Amino acid sequence: MTVELRPITENNWHDCCKLKVADDQKRFVATNSISLVQAAYEKDLLPLAVYDGEAMVGFVMFSKERHPQWGYWIIRLMVDEAHQRKGYGRATIKEVLRRLGEWPDCAEVFISEVPDNVIAARLYESLGFVKTGELMGDEVVMKYTFSARDGQGDR
Ligand SMILES: CC(C)(COP(=O)(O)OP(=O)(O)OC[C@H]1O[C@@H](n2cnc3c(N)ncnc32)[C@H](O)[C@@H]1OP(=O)(O)O)[C@@H](O)C(=O)NCCC(=O)NCCS
């Protein structure tokens, strides 16, 4: 299994909007349609489709430039319900960290999840994110620090 993050274009945006999570996961993440509209107006966001070969399996969106107040965030991650539990979520976050780790002004990356999204929190923790003790709205904030960790994503 390999993942590749590719741009959203006129050729794949509709496939991206058709990806969906399970009904009981819908409260954990905005729809991809909403995320793409958000990215159209919030120019500091980079929306990318997650591919395994020619199959689009998920979606991720993160800061492509440093937000003056919030720094760098991974603001969206979803894997289509048909493709979950195959390692795509983990591989996607690793690839995003690898990319952000190449940017000289990115020392930390933030992510957040609703408090009972235990699967997401466990995944992020296992990759080196730690809870900051802060909330962003109703969501628990976690932080990855590049210098604090060896391996994938480290610089
Ligand atoms: C969170 C999410 C992106 C994970 O994607 P995924 O491709 O299924 O994750 P992976 O296959 O890489 O698995 C990562 C870990 O989570 C575990 N996991 C994933 N889904 C699980 C489930 N339903 N139940 C129990 N464990 C689960 C895996 O076993 C794996 O653990 P391990 O590495 O210790 O073996 C996916 O479940 C999803 O899209 N959820 C709905 C949206 C969401 O919550 N997004 C995050 C918002 S903060």
Side-chain angles (χ1 to χ4, degrees), residues 4-77:
E4 194 186 337
L5 306 186
R6 296 192 202 153
I8 305 294
T9 68
E10 61 185 6
N11 297 319
N12 67 3
W13 67 269
H14 195 240
D15 287 342
C16 182
C17 292
K18 286 194 288 188
L19 297 181
K20 58 185 173 56
V21 296
D23 284 345
D24 63 353
Q25 296 175 325
K26 284 183 176 162
R27 65 200 174 83
F28 294 151
V29 68
T31 63
N32 290 349
S33 309
I34 289 287
S35 294
L36 293 184
V37 172
Q38 184 178 1
Y41 292 99
E42 298 185 19
K43 300 294 186 189
D44 59 325
L45 295 175
L46 180 61
L48 294 171
V50 180
Y51 281 86
D52 183 353
E54 288 315 303
M56 190 192 291
V57 298
F59 174 78
V60 67
M61 186 156 78
F62 55 98
S63 320
K64 64 180 174 193
E65 57 196 56
R66 187 181 185 79
H67 187 285
Q69 191 179 357
W70 305 113
Y72 285 95
W73 281 76
I74 301 171
I75 76 152
R76 214 67 29 91
L77 170 70

Side-chain angles (χ1 to χ4, degrees), residues 1 20-22 25-26 28-29 74-81 83-92 111-114 117 119-124 126 139:
M1 184 275 305
K20 58 185 173 56
V21 296
Q25 296 175 325
K26 284 183 176 162
F28 294 151
V29 68
I74 301 171
I75 76 152
R76 214 67 29 91
L77 170 70
M78 64 81 67
V79 171
D80 186 86
E81 63 176 332
H83 296 288
Q84 291 182 10
R85 303 200 75 169
K86 298 177 184 173
Y88 293 126
R90 177 179 296 281
T92 299
I111 201 163
S112 69
E113 72 280 339
V114 303
N117 194 350
I119 289 162
R122 228 185 270 144
L123 170 61
Y124 305 151
S126 74
E139 299 205 350

